[in-house]
């Protein structure tokens, strides 16, 4: 059973208000677009891989522009580049010293 947007919004809002640190949400483009569209994402971790392939656009269904601020980046020996962005509303929080610090 797939939850409706209101149920998903309530669930994630309650989860964010509870104890703990960060919520890592991993899923396909449809889940990502839904959660972004509900305004529930505070930070984004993008990993750019050195390959070119067809795929589903992750942000095609979004209606509004989401202002982001780069707060960290890191590169890896395999050529992958990690980029960490905060939403403008969340960007005023303390900036980490490195991308690795964020995921430690």
């Amino acid at each position: 059973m797939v939850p409706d947007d209101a149920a998903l919004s309530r669930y994630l809002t309650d989860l964010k208000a509870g104890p703990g640190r960060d919520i890592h949400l991993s899923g396909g483009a449809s889940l990502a677009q839904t959660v972004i569209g509900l305004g529930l994402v505070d930070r984004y971790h993008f990993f750019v891989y050195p390959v070119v392939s067809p795929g589903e656009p992750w942000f095609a269904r979004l209606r509004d522009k989401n202002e982001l601020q780069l707060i960290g980046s890191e590169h890896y020996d395999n050529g992958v580049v990690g980029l960490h962005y905060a939403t403008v509303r969340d960007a005023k929080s303390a900036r980490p010293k490195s991308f690795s610090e964020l995921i430690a």
Side-chain angles (χ1 to χ4, degrees), residues 71-94:
I71 62 171
S73 65
E74 187 148 297
H75 68 279
Y76 302 91
D77 291 340
N78 62 358
V80 173
V81 176
L83 301 169
H84 181 70
Y85 291 88
T87 58
V88 170
R89 71 179 183 275
D90 193 49
K92 296 183 184 192
S93 61

Side-chain angles (χ1 to χ4, degrees), residues 21-94:
R21 191 168 171 211
D22 297 324
I23 301 168
H24 173 92
L25 184 62
S26 184
S30 179
L31 177 61
Q33 290 178 59
T34 298
V35 175
I36 292 166
L38 292 170
L40 297 172
V41 177
D42 301 316
R43 301 203 176 192
Y44 295 81
H45 295 266
F46 296 115
F47 293 92
V48 181
Y49 292 82
V51 296
V52 177
S53 67
E56 182 178 348
W58 276 65
F59 308 111
R61 289 189 312 154
L62 298 180
R63 294 183 305 260
D64 299 323
K65 183 177 177 181
N66 292 277
E67 297 286 335
L68 304 177
Q69 179 178 345
L70 181 67
I71 62 171
S73 65
E74 187 148 297
H75 68 279
Y76 302 91
D77 291 340
N78 62 358
V80 173
V81 176
L83 301 169
H84 181 70
Y85 291 88
T87 58
V88 170
R89 71 179 183 275
D90 193 49
K92 296 183 184 192
S93 61

Side-chain angles (χ1 to χ4, degrees), residues 4-32:
D4 62 25
D5 288 357
L8 180 62
S9 180
R10 280 190 307 277
Y11 175 77
L12 291 175
T13 300
D14 289 347
L15 192 59
K16 286 174 71 169
R21 191 168 171 211
D22 297 324
I23 301 168
H24 173 92
L25 184 62
S26 184
S30 179
L31 177 61

